[in-house]
Amino acid sequence: CTPQENAASTNADQQLVRVTHPFHPLFPMQLPCVGRRCNPHGERLLLQTEDATVWAVPPQWTDLVSPDPEVVMGNGRSLLRVVDLMELAALVERLSRTR
């Protein structure tokens, strides 16, 4: 991930982004994107709520990214994708080793 410009933009420049992740507290709000940032976990969109709070949200959790084919094919029948389950299993294993 390469650093990107985070300068404030005018309201006319701001793109509206809808949060599509069903478990995110901002779902299904449509909010202005006021910037982008990168952190160790990847790119994050900076979305601003009406009370001026800025939330950092992965682009995959918004309508800027096409829906995951696995989720579309599951048609709401599964809460987690295979990759999510694998990540959860790895986390549980790491946490088990630290005890």
Side-chain angles (χ1 to χ4, degrees):
C1 191
T2 58
Q4 296 183 11
E5 187 67 34
N6 287 322
S9 59
T10 65
N11 285 341
D13 295 342
Q14 294 175 355
Q15 178 178 10
L16 291 177
V17 176
R18 184 174 309 279
V19 177
T20 58
H21 192 290
F23 301 121
H24 195 281
L26 298 177
F27 174 80
M29 293 180 173
Q30 190 172 24
L31 303 165
C33 181
V34 296
R36 294 175 185 255
R37 288 241 170 93
C38 290
N39 68 24
H41 304 288
E43 182 182 12
R44 296 293 183 260
L45 301 175
L46 303 177
L47 306 181
Q48 189 170 30
T49 57
E50 287 182 9
D51 66 357
T53 303
V54 175
W55 293 66
V57 177
Q60 303 90 309
W61 294 3
T62 71
D63 61 356
L64 290 183
V65 176
S66 298
D68 185 315
E70 191 173 346
V71 173
V72 172
M73 289 173 51
N75 198 25
R77 294 178 299 231
S78 177
L79 295 177
L80 299 170
R81 300 171 303 151
V82 171
V83 69
D84 297 328
L85 291 172
M86 292 171 61
E87 187 175 327
L88 178 60
L91 174 63
V92 169
E93 183 180 340
R94 283 194 312 272
L95 292 173
S96 297
R97 279 190 256 137
T98 60
R99 288 189 165 207

